[in-house]
Amino acid sequence: MTTTPDIWEPLEPALSVRQVLTLERVLAGEPEVVAGASHLDRPVRWVHVAEAADVGVMLSGGEMVLTTGVLLAGDEEKQAEYVRSLHRAEAAAVVLGLGRAFPAAPDVMRRAAERCGLPMVVLHRPFPFAELTEEVQSRLVRRKFAAVSLSEAVRTELTALITAGAPLQRLLDEVARHSACPVVVTNLAHRVLGTAGERPAVDDVLRDWERIARQAGGTEGDGWIRAELGGRGERWGRIVLCGYRGDTATGRLLADRAAEALVLHRMLGGGAACSWEEQSAQSLLTDLVSGVVPARQLLPRARAAGLPVNRRTFVPLVVRDGDTPRLDRLLRLLGLPGLVAELADGATAVLLSLPRDQDASALAAHFAARLRTESGRARTVVAAADPRVVWDDVPAGLREAQHVADAVADSAAALDLPPVVRLRDVHLRGLIRLLRDDPHVQSFAERELDGLLCETEEDLLSVLRTYLATGRNKSRTAQLHHVSRPALYRRLEAIQVRLGVDLDDFEQAASVHIALLAHDAQQQ
């Protein structure tokens, strides 16, 4: 019983001359390679029986030609021209059945085949050519059907994912699953926008991506198969199957189906090419911040994404209420190499990569000043960690910058902050932020603020927050809440009664302030 190939498995390479010679029916004819032994890996596209000396005009390339040589016997010039004609037609091989015409391999044909690099095989036992033709061509037809089935299956699955609103990464994962090799999407400058496949294999590809991509950019080989991305006469990227192990024709079908899907994904709102760059940066920076993937393993991805990494100073920044496209444009405007990615809770990470001879702190301050000017927000928070000169220290730097940004997120307007906020600027607020999930701290906050934690007392809690944040400045608190001084005094009195504290007492006020910081940190 014939079984249909599993279209989910990567297809084997197309039948080569060497593989044809190992088929059971062919072995029965006792095949012997008498010329062109170093070219047996040529793919066989079809099998053709031909006796005419001018057989080449009937071929289109890739055929294994079967002959008994009956029309060539006794004419060495015809024998040599027969081989040359096959060579010019780019035939895969010639198979000569020994018998009445040729009891042994003719030297003229053998020498001509060796000079042309054309594999020549003789069959020592009588062999029905029809059996060989049937066997090889049935296998080739099954393989063509399997390739088309695979192509249509990929098209159907990718279209379904797009219809369901799947992100770019999900589509690439599906392509990598079908092709069983790393998949890379780039823009025209070879900057990597997305990858998929087994992580070690992808990292090997990305390790020296720019050199490899440019070297492989001209011709396909070694399983590197590309398809262009674009439409309406404009190219904007390409998808590359890296090291595809199946036959090239099937690989091209896969790459073409993937390219069609990616273009459709963009047309239906999956995002322009620039948003794919944002997604790539977001994936990289998110992995760096989380620490789930070691920084050293992320280095090839950073380099392939266009971030300079050799002998650089890295400046981790986190911007509160920043606009990712605006930040990206600002980096390009200032000529600062870096990556921008939205994190969570309104925070955007910016990783600058600067030459070591530049003043990293000054450039970070200049970036923050220009950002405030561009955005029109005087109190935009730009948090930073100290510059890092070792890539492995970048994740800790990003987490530190995120911690600083979170520590001042709700109180930036009430605090006198520098243009770039660092860990040393957040003092007690930063410590409380680190300890916010500790059960003892949570219990302390609830105990100290118990009288103000119900919804009806939110206004008093807001007044208390401002009063403590301004250093117990009553005039400033009244101004910020748009109330008169007497009205503020009444509210402060109500707060002290509900909490059972004296806010004029420094220690009691400090205790309430710490509890309020802890409470606010827990709400974020």
Side-chain angles (χ1 to χ4, degrees):
M1 178 178 178
T2 302
T3 59
T4 301
D6 186 349
I7 63 174
W8 307 121
E9 295 296 326
L11 298 176
E12 297 177 359
L15 284 176
S16 64
V17 175
R18 189 188 309 277
Q19 289 174 314
V20 171
L21 298 181
T22 62
L23 297 178
E24 185 174 351
R25 290 186 180 181
V26 179
L27 290 174
E30 297 182 6
E32 177 189 0
V33 178
V34 296
S38 60
H39 300 279
L40 295 181
D41 291 321
R42 286 182 174 181
V44 175
R45 189 182 61 82
W46 209 242
V47 178
H48 190 70
V49 179
E51 302 288 356
D54 59 349
V55 61
V57 299
M58 296 181 286
L59 306 179
S60 57
E63 295 90 352
M64 173 178 277
V65 177
L66 312 181
T67 182
T68 61
V70 66
L71 299 182
L72 304 176
D75 191 331
E76 293 187 348
E77 179 55 35
K78 281 187 177 182
Q79 296 169 22
E81 178 55 29
Y82 185 87
V83 172
R84 290 194 295 266
S85 177
L86 294 180
H87 171 64
R88 289 193 296 270
E90 298 182 348
V94 58
V95 178
L96 175 65
L98 300 181
R100 288 180 301 169
F102 292 103
D107 288 340
V108 172
M109 293 183 68
R110 182 180 56 77
R111 288 195 300 269
E114 192 65 51
R115 284 194 299 270
C116 294
L118 177 70
M120 179 175 176
V121 180
V122 296
L123 301 176
H124 288 279
R125 292 178 63 86
F127 183 87
F129 284 168
E131 290 188 12
L132 174 56
T133 302
E134 178 185 6
E135 175 73 13
V136 174
Q137 296 186 175
S138 64
R139 285 175 178 262
L140 292 174
V141 168
R142 288 200 301 270
R143 292 185 60 76
K144 287 180 181 294
F145 174 76
V148 173
S149 298
L150 174 61
S151 171
E152 289 307 307
V154 171
R155 188 203 299 270
T156 300
E157 292 207 5
L158 294 181
T159 301
L161 288 174
I162 294 171
T163 303
L168 171 66
Q169 187 61 53
R170 183 68 185 86
L171 270 65
L172 296 183
D173 288 341
E174 194 67 19
V175 175
R177 184 172 75 86
H178 284 289
S179 62
C181 69
V183 175
V184 177
V185 174
T186 76
N187 61 16
L188 296 181
H190 303 290
R191 179 173 176 178
V192 174
L193 307 181
T195 63
E198 294 292 333
R199 196 72 255 167
V202 171
D203 288 345
D204 285 343
V205 169
L206 297 184
R207 210 170 305 281
D208 195 13
W209 169 254
E210 185 171 352
R211 181 188 63 80
I212 294 174
R214 294 187 184 280
Q215 185 176 353
T219 58
E220 291 183 348
D222 297 327
W224 282 65
I225 300 174
R226 293 171 302 284
E228 301 297 326
L229 304 177
R232 298 179 181 176
E234 179 184 2
R235 293 188 302 119
W236 43 266
R238 59 178 59 89
I239 181 169
V240 187
L241 307 185
C242 307
Y244 180 70
R245 295 192 301 273
D247 67 270
T248 302
T250 303
R252 288 199 188 103
L253 278 176
L254 278 172
D256 288 343
R257 295 297 83 79
E260 290 172 3
L262 296 186
V263 172
L264 180 62
H265 182 267
R266 179 185 181 186
M267 290 174 57
L268 295 181
C274 62
S275 72
W276 287 2
E277 293 177 358
E278 293 167 11
Q279 292 178 38
S280 174
Q282 181 173 5
S283 173
L284 173 61
L285 292 184
T286 300
D287 285 346
L288 279 170
V289 171
S290 69
V292 174
V293 182
R296 189 166 298 277
Q297 293 184 21
L298 296 173
L299 189 59
R301 287 172 58 187
R303 183 183 290 110
L307 185 73
V309 295
N310 294 330
R311 297 186 59 78
R312 308 290 286 189
T313 297
F314 302 101
V315 182
L317 305 173
V318 171
V319 180
R320 273 288 172 187
D321 300 321
D323 179 80
T324 302
R326 177 185 288 118
L327 292 172
D328 204 27
R329 287 194 299 271
L330 182 57
L331 286 184
R332 292 196 297 270
L333 178 65
L334 298 177
L336 297 176
L339 297 177
V340 179
E342 185 176 350
L343 298 178
D345 302 326
T348 303
V350 180
L351 179 61
L352 302 180
S353 174
L354 308 173
R356 290 189 179 176
D357 59 353
Q358 293 186 349
D359 188 334
S361 297
L363 287 175
H366 180 55
F367 170 79
R370 286 294 299 270
L371 176 60
R372 289 189 176 91
T373 302
E374 295 282 335
S375 65
R377 300 174 184 173
R379 302 305 301 184
T380 298
V381 174
V382 179
D386 291 334
R388 265 61 175 174
V389 295
V390 178
W391 174 257
D392 287 350
D393 295 337
V394 169
L398 285 168
R399 288 193 291 271
E400 180 181 314
Q402 187 176 30
H403 162 67
V404 173
D406 291 345
V408 299
D410 294 332
S411 304
L415 298 175
D416 185 18
L417 297 174
V420 178
V421 188
R422 301 183 185 276
L423 191 59
R424 60 178 175 269
D425 300 313
V426 296
H427 306 297
L428 177 62
R429 189 178 301 274
L431 176 63
I432 295 300
R433 177 77 188 186
L434 286 175
L435 300 176
R436 64 176 179 171
D437 294 326
D438 187 292
H440 298 292
V441 174
Q442 294 173 354
S443 177
F444 168 76
E446 292 180 6
R447 184 173 62 251
E448 289 289 301
L449 301 174
D450 182 57
L452 295 179
L453 294 182
C454 59
E455 291 185 6
T456 57
E457 305 297 346
E458 285 185 1
D459 181 59
L460 291 181
L461 194 65
S462 177
V463 170
L464 175 62
R465 184 180 292 110
T466 304
Y467 180 62
L468 295 175
T470 58
R472 295 184 293 175
N473 186 319
K474 295 176 182 176
S475 297
R476 180 62 176 157
T477 302
Q479 181 183 14
L480 291 173
H481 282 270
H482 307 290
V483 298
S484 64
R485 290 283 292 270
L488 176 65
Y489 294 157
R490 289 193 295 272
R491 294 183 187 185
L492 290 177
E493 182 63 30
I495 290 171
Q496 293 181 104
V497 170
R498 283 168 173 73
L499 297 183
V501 298
D502 179 5
L503 292 179
D504 290 329
D505 181 87
F506 176 78
E507 185 173 338
Q508 293 184 53
S511 181
V512 172
H513 192 192
I514 293 172
L516 186 57
L517 291 176
H519 169 75
D520 289 344
Q522 291 162 18
Q523 305 310 307
Q524 297 175 8

